[in-house]
Amino acid sequence: MNRLKNRSLVSITDYGKEEILKVLDIAEGFEENQRQKILSDYVIASLFFEPSTRTRLSFESAVHYLGGSIIGFASADTSSVRKGESLKDTILTVSNYSDLIVMRNPLDGSARFASEVSPVPIINAGDGANQHPTQCLLDLYSIRKTQGTLENLQIALVGDLKYGRTVHSLVQALSLFGATFHLVSPESLKLPSGVKKWIKDAGLEYFQYTELADVIPFADIIYMTRIQGERFPDPMEYEKVKNAYVLENKMLEKSKESLRILHPLPRVNEISEDVDDNPKAYYFQQAKNGVYVRQALIAAILGLKE
C-alpha cells in the first residue's frame, strides 16, 4: 500500500518516520538510475511566487529526468498575481492543467492553504520562514548517506536559527531519530522556543552556544546557514550579526574524520572557499542529492513508486 499517494507535503511533520524513510529509500533508487522515464504522461506545475535558484531548478531537473512536462512561472511578477488574482484562484486554475503543483510563496501558511483548496497534491517548496520540507528530506538523505544512519547523531546547527526554515524542519525531523542538537547562534538568532519544544517533547537534549569552535571537535554534522538579511525587520540588527560565523579550513583540524559539513545554500561568506576542497565539505553534493529526493517524492505522490 502506498501511503504517500495523492498526499500533499506542506510540513515535514505531515510525514511520519516510516514515510520519510520510504522517500529516502526511493531516492537511493534514483541515484543508482536517475533516468527513469516514468512521468511521460504527467504535467507538473511549478509556481514560484518568489525567486529561487536551487529549489526551482532542482524540481525542474527532477521532472525532466523522469520524462515529464513542467509548466509554471519563476516570479509573481510574471503571473496573474500582478493583476490581483488571489492565491485560491491561481491554484484552482492551475490544478486544471496539471497533476501536481510545486509551490513557493513568501507568506507563512500559504502552502497549507493551497493544499486545502487544491484538487491535486501540493508540494511546499518553501513558505516564508515557516517550512521547507523538501530541503529537509534532502538534508536527511545527505546525513544518512554520509553517516550510514540517521540515529543518535551529534548535530550542530549554526547561524540563523531564528528565521531559518530549513533548520526548523530539520530539527523536527531529526527529533524522530534520537539526535542531540548543538545550537550555535548569536543571542538575537536563537532557535524559537516552539521549535525547541519539539526536542523536549521527544525526550532529547539540546545545548546552546555562541562560539562555533566549541562544537567542531565532536559534531557528526555541522549544518551551516546563511544569516538572512531579507528576514530582518530592522536592517541595523542584521548589520550586527551578518558576519557572526565564518567556517575556515584550519578550524577543522581537530574534527572527527567522519564529520560532514552541510549548507542549504546559497552561502555568502559563512563557509570560506578554502573549505571546498576538504573531503568533509559536502554542500554541493547535498544540492545534487536534492534532485534524487525530489524525483522520489514526485513519483511516490503520483503513485508511480512505492
Side-chain angles (χ1 to χ4, degrees):
M1 179 181 175
N2 184 352
R3 295 168 59 181
L4 298 175
K5 186 176 181 180
N6 293 324
R7 284 179 58 184
S8 294
L9 176 61
V10 174
S11 164
I12 194 63
T13 59
D14 291 344
Y15 288 2
K17 184 174 181 177
E18 182 181 335
E19 291 150 332
I20 288 172
L21 291 173
K22 173 56 68 178
V23 174
L24 305 191
D25 291 344
I26 296 172
E28 283 185 346
F30 282 114
E31 182 167 2
E32 293 172 2
N33 178 16
Q34 190 171 30
R35 299 172 191 273
Q36 301 181 44
K37 305 296 185 185
I38 58 175
L39 211 61
S40 57
D41 294 330
Y42 292 85
V43 176
I44 308 300
S46 170
L47 309 185
F48 277 68
F49 293 89
E50 67 174 5
S52 164
T53 303
R54 279 147 301 279
T55 303
R56 182 173 63 83
L57 294 182
S58 179
F59 268 111
E60 291 184 3
S61 177
V63 172
H64 286 302
Y65 276 121
L66 293 172
S69 300
I70 191 158
I71 60 173
F73 50 81
S75 164
D77 289 341
T78 58
S79 77
S80 290
V81 170
R82 193 172 181 185
K83 303 174 184 173
E85 184 177 59
S86 69
L87 178 59
K88 178 181 178 181
D89 284 5
T90 300
I91 294 296
L92 289 176
T93 302
V94 174
S95 65
N96 291 323
Y97 312 144
S98 59
D99 300 289
L100 182 152
I101 295 173
V102 177
M103 187 184 88
R104 169 171 287 198
N105 193 290
L107 298 177
D108 293 12
S110 54
R112 182 66 68 193
F113 173 77
S115 73
E116 290 172 352
V117 301
S118 175
V120 302
I122 297 285
I123 295 178
N124 181 9
D127 60 329
N130 185 32
Q131 286 280 334
H132 197 346
T134 64
Q135 176 69 46
C136 182
L137 287 169
L138 77 87
D139 292 340
L140 294 173
Y141 185 80
S142 299
I143 293 170
R144 189 173 77 165
K145 188 173 175 62
T146 60
Q147 305 298 313
T149 181
L150 287 172
E151 301 286 348
N152 304 314
L153 295 171
Q154 302 291 325
I155 306 291
L157 303 169
V158 183
D160 180 358
L161 308 188
K162 180 178 181 180
Y163 298 112
R165 59 192 175 193
T166 62
V167 169
H168 302 169
S169 297
L170 192 56
V171 167
Q172 291 171 330
L174 283 172
S175 292
L176 298 171
F177 297 95
T180 300
F181 297 94
H182 303 278
L183 311 174
V184 185
S185 72
E187 286 290 329
S188 61
L189 293 177
K190 284 185 172 180
L191 194 71
S193 56
V195 184
K196 286 188 281 199
K197 188 172 184 298
W198 276 88
I199 304 174
K200 292 179 183 175
D201 289 348
L204 302 175
E205 289 186 297
Y206 69 83
F207 303 91
Q208 299 185 100
Y209 311 78
T210 55
E211 297 296 328
L212 171 57
D214 291 346
V215 303
I216 290 176
F218 57 81
D220 295 307
I221 293 290
I222 294 178
Y223 192 93
M224 299 294 296
T225 65
R226 177 175 64 93
I227 294 182
Q228 307 170 86
E230 67 274 23
R231 305 286 183 204
F232 281 71
D234 182 352
M236 292 302 295
E237 291 302 312
Y238 169 66
E239 290 297 321
K240 292 178 185 176
V241 297
K242 66 179 183 181
N243 296 318
Y245 304 108
V246 180
L247 181 64
E248 298 177 342
N249 198 42
K250 62 186 178 184
M251 298 168 67
L252 299 171
E253 290 176 356
K254 295 183 179 179
S255 61
K256 286 184 176 181
E257 199 61 36
S258 59
L259 168 71
R260 290 296 179 271
I261 301 154
L262 304 185
H263 190 305
L265 302 177
R267 70 171 161 183
V268 181
N269 61 355
E270 56 277 1
I271 300 178
S272 172
E273 290 190 9
D274 69 4
V275 178
D276 293 356
D277 294 329
N278 191 312
K280 297 173 184 176
Y282 197 74
Y283 28 91
F284 291 117
Q285 179 63 45
Q286 177 189 1
K288 185 176 183 178
N289 290 342
V291 180
Y292 309 134
V293 168
R294 287 167 174 133
Q295 285 182 277
L297 189 58
I298 291 168
I301 291 175
L302 292 177
L304 304 172
K305 290 279 185 179
E306 57 182 292

